[in-house]
Amino acid sequence: MSDQAQPMDRLHRVMRQIRSEIKSAKDPGRVFREFISHLDLVQRAAPRRVRAKSAPRRPAQKRAK
């Protein structure tokens, strides 16, 4: 093989790899919408806990100097 054939072969191999990755990649907008829908489902399914009110605090006693 000549010196120019090897770099061209490598270039073609890399280009094929890049094309296959691009074709199989998902649309970022679609991925984001799926993520938001999953968050929405989780939020709806989560039981809402009612916070129990803590006992009222007593006023702090003043210290003598």
Side-chain angles (χ1 to χ4, degrees):
M1 290 189 143
S2 66
D3 290 79
Q4 291 182 349
Q6 290 176 353
M8 288 304 289
D9 289 338
R10 188 180 319 162
L11 174 65
H12 288 295
R13 191 171 356 127
V14 170
M15 292 299 288
R16 273 183 275 154
Q17 289 174 347
I18 291 172
R19 282 191 193 121
S20 66
E21 289 177 6
I22 291 173
K23 287 180 182 178
S24 65
K26 289 187 175 183
D27 176 34
R30 182 176 177 193
V31 172
F32 181 71
R33 284 189 298 274
E34 287 180 23
F35 174 71
I36 295 297
S37 68
H38 285 296
L39 286 180
D40 189 38
L41 289 174
V42 169
Q43 186 177 11
R44 288 182 187 176
R48 296 193 180 228
R49 295 187 340 186
V50 177
R51 282 187 159 182
K53 291 189 176 183
S54 60
R57 291 186 174 185
R58 295 186 310 181
Q61 294 179 356
K62 294 186 179 180
R63 297 184 194 179
K65 288 187 178 182

